[in-house]
Amino acid sequence: MTYHPKSDFIATMIERGFLADCTDYQGLDDALISGCKPAYIGFDATAKSLHVGSLIQIMMLRWFQKTGHQPITLMGGGTTKVGDPSFRADERPLLGPEQIDENISGIKKVFSAYIDYDTDAENKALMLNNAEWLDDLNYLDFLRDIGRHFSVNRMLSFESVKSRLDREQSLSFLEFNYMILQAYDFLELNRRYGCVLQMGGSDQWGNIVNGIDLTRRVLDYEIYGLTSPLLTTSDGKKMGKSQDGAVWLNAEMRSPYEFWQFWRNTTDADVGRFLKLYTELPVDECDRLGALAGSEINEAKIRLANEVTTLLHGAQAAANAEATAREVFEKGGVGGDLPTLTLSPDELGDGMSIVQIIVKSGLAKSGKEAKRLIAENGAKLDDAPLTDAGLMIDAGALSSPIKLSAGKKRHALVQLG
């Protein structure tokens, strides 16, 4: 990247590693130095929480506001009814309006930790829902006024669509319309709020370009697109996934301790890069911490975990998580902030198998996996090897909490409630 930006936002994006591509660096840079500008990122409501894979986009919106501009978080209440086909191997399951509304309610909880919607300043963030303009569209009017600006030939050439067709996988007409609806979002946001920029992951490039072209054709207005890289860890894994599934951002779906532990377990080679993307530490400090070696890199990982957890869950949650981790890993203790499974005497009855309890605690996804964990000496009960898959746990055994472990890094408490 040889462009030397004048705006604080683009300078930050380049310096911290957020920038994959931009439709017009010079034009966007000039727009951003001329005053407060609105920009948006869209989030489809396919689950009750976003996961770590969306955190790079959330941080982009945060930096956009911190550099004096107005971030717009656009909830896809309308587009979620269709489903984004980008780089998917199959069609998304369709969700009903009630499920979509419930998912949006869950997702909204995360944004207020990163973005200020309550300030009186000019760059107060906006939370919008594209169902506001998509739900009431007249199909014939939409075809005549908007559809005529789209070339099917061009739409077929976008990699996100082409990859599905090349594999001879079905792409429904419903999904094919998604890119038109997303382009229309950009047009409406420009018309209603003066939005000049759409940001997203690099898999959204085609959708973003469509929105720019449509807005230029209909409103004759100059707008821009900017994408971030699709992140994988240094060992090639998709960002946002862990051994036990997606790393959700909502506390009720992934506890602050488990969230903290995800970042603490970062591969050595990723520490410096993740500090730049997911914290606000100065770049020089990120580089210094990322260059540490040997046992010192572990303190850099703890710093990463603390900084990221503080942004999402608060400083106290980060401190509690670190204290629990030190208690569990350094002192061999139990730690009060571990994920906890509470079983009632009625649930236990005459006894519950340790295999069932391991599954209920979330340390294994199935009884088969739990049994394999035990057979391969990967399970521990109160830090002692667990070798008997037939062990039964009754209320007496839970007169005080027990600690279950899967491997060296995943633990849970089980207690009587």
Side-chain angles (χ1 to χ4, degrees):
M1 178 69 210
T2 56
Y3 181 73
H4 300 290
K6 299 181 286 292
S7 66
D8 291 341
F9 176 69
I10 295 184
T12 300
M13 291 296 96
I14 294 172
E15 186 178 37
R16 302 189 78 96
F18 284 95
L19 193 52
D21 211 343
C22 179
T23 55
D24 180 357
Y25 289 105
Q26 184 70 59
L28 177 59
D29 204 21
D30 290 343
L32 293 179
I33 62 173
S34 68
C36 175
K37 300 295 182 186
Y40 89 99
I41 299 178
F43 299 87
D44 274 348
T46 52
K48 294 178 183 177
S49 170
L50 299 174
H51 60 67
V52 164
S54 297
L55 195 50
I56 189 169
Q57 273 76 50
I58 296 173
M59 289 299 293
M60 290 168 78
L61 289 171
R62 180 177 173 86
W63 281 112
F64 196 68
Q65 189 170 42
K66 285 174 70 71
T67 53
H69 301 286
Q70 182 180 40
I72 298 173
T73 47
L74 181 65
M75 294 289 96
T79 41
T80 301
K81 296 171 184 174
V82 177
D84 185 359
S86 298
F87 295 97
R88 287 183 59 85
D90 52 17
E91 189 172 346
R92 288 186 186 274
L94 297 180
L95 302 179
E98 298 81 8
Q99 183 63 60
I100 290 172
D101 288 344
E102 186 179 342
N103 289 351
I104 287 174
S105 178
I107 290 170
K108 282 181 176 179
K109 296 176 186 176
V110 169
F111 286 108
S112 58
Y114 294 91
I115 302 163
D116 190 353
Y117 298 91
D118 299 319
T119 178
D120 293 327
E122 181 185 12
N123 65 336
K124 173 181 179 178
L126 298 177
M127 172 78 72
L128 304 174
N129 186 335
N130 64 12
E132 181 183 338
W133 51 84
L134 294 181
D135 277 3
D136 296 325
L137 283 177
N138 179 288
Y139 187 59
L140 291 178
D141 289 345
F142 187 73
L143 284 178
R144 183 193 62 204
D145 298 336
I146 303 300
R148 66 190 177 89
H149 294 294
F150 287 85
S151 161
V152 171
N153 307 59
R154 188 160 183 263
M155 292 164 75
L156 288 171
S157 72
F158 285 121
E159 190 58 36
S160 58
V161 173
K162 193 171 178 290
S163 61
R164 282 273 285 277
L165 299 178
D166 286 348
R167 294 192 298 267
E168 297 184 357
Q169 291 165 328
S170 173
L171 180 71
S172 72
F173 179 70
L174 186 69
E175 292 178 289
F176 196 58
N177 273 268
Y178 181 92
M179 62 182 73
I180 301 179
L181 295 178
Q182 185 170 326
Y184 186 70
D185 282 345
F186 204 170
L187 171 67
E188 280 296 317
L189 287 170
N190 180 260
R191 182 156 38 200
R192 295 173 182 227
Y193 301 96
C195 183
V196 299
L197 172 65
Q198 182 185 356
M199 300 184 287
S202 56
D203 60 337
Q204 294 298 313
W205 181 257
N207 291 331
I208 291 172
V209 169
N210 274 330
I212 292 171
D213 288 346
L214 178 64
T215 304
R216 285 174 178 166
R217 289 170 184 267
V218 176
L219 300 180
D220 192 25
Y221 202 93
E222 197 67 28
I223 57 176
Y224 309 94
L226 184 151
T227 58
S228 62
L230 290 181
L231 279 192
T232 56
T233 56
S234 58
D235 53 4
K237 293 178 182 175
K238 188 175 181 180
M239 190 63 186
K241 300 289 185 181
S242 70
Q243 188 175 354
D244 53 341
V247 182
W248 301 108
L249 301 181
N250 286 35
E252 61 270 23
M253 294 176 69
R254 168 75 61 154
S255 74
Y257 171 79
E258 292 172 299
F259 183 78
W260 186 94
Q261 195 65 45
F262 170 79
W263 296 100
R264 169 62 182 83
N265 293 336
T266 295
T267 305
D268 292 4
D270 290 324
V271 173
R273 181 169 60 126
F274 286 1
L275 282 164
K276 290 178 188 175
L277 291 170
Y278 299 112
T279 82
E280 295 177 336
L281 292 177
V283 170
D284 289 348
E285 178 67 358
C286 296
D287 287 335
R288 184 190 72 79
L289 290 167
L292 295 175
S295 60
E296 288 185 329
I297 194 67
N298 290 325
E299 289 306 311
K301 293 179 184 181
I302 290 172
R303 183 75 183 278
L304 170 67
N306 282 337
E307 293 287 337
V308 180
T309 304
T310 295
L311 279 175
L312 178 59
H313 295 299
Q316 190 58 57
N320 291 345
E322 181 182 358
T324 293
R326 292 192 185 279
E327 178 71 19
V328 170
F329 296 111
E330 296 177 12
K331 303 175 185 177
V334 171
D337 202 33
L338 284 178
T340 302
L341 170 66
T342 302
L343 297 172
S344 69
D346 287 343
E347 283 181 281
L348 285 167
D350 294 331
M352 181 180 292
S353 76
I354 195 67
V355 168
Q356 285 180 279
I357 292 174
I358 289 173
V359 174
K360 281 181 173 286
S361 71
L363 295 178
K365 294 179 181 177
S366 65
K368 184 178 179 181
E369 184 180 319
K371 289 176 182 176
R372 184 170 65 248
L373 187 70
I374 294 169
E376 294 174 353
N377 300 314
K380 288 185 177 181
L381 174 60
D382 287 334
D383 295 320
L386 175 60
T387 57
D388 182 8
L391 179 66
M392 301 297 289
I393 301 294
D394 58 19
L398 293 181
S399 55
S400 60
I402 63 173
K403 174 184 168 187
L404 287 175
S405 304
K408 295 180 179 180
K409 297 180 178 180
R410 297 169 57 227
H411 310 271
L413 291 183
V414 184
Q415 65 184 14
L416 192 64

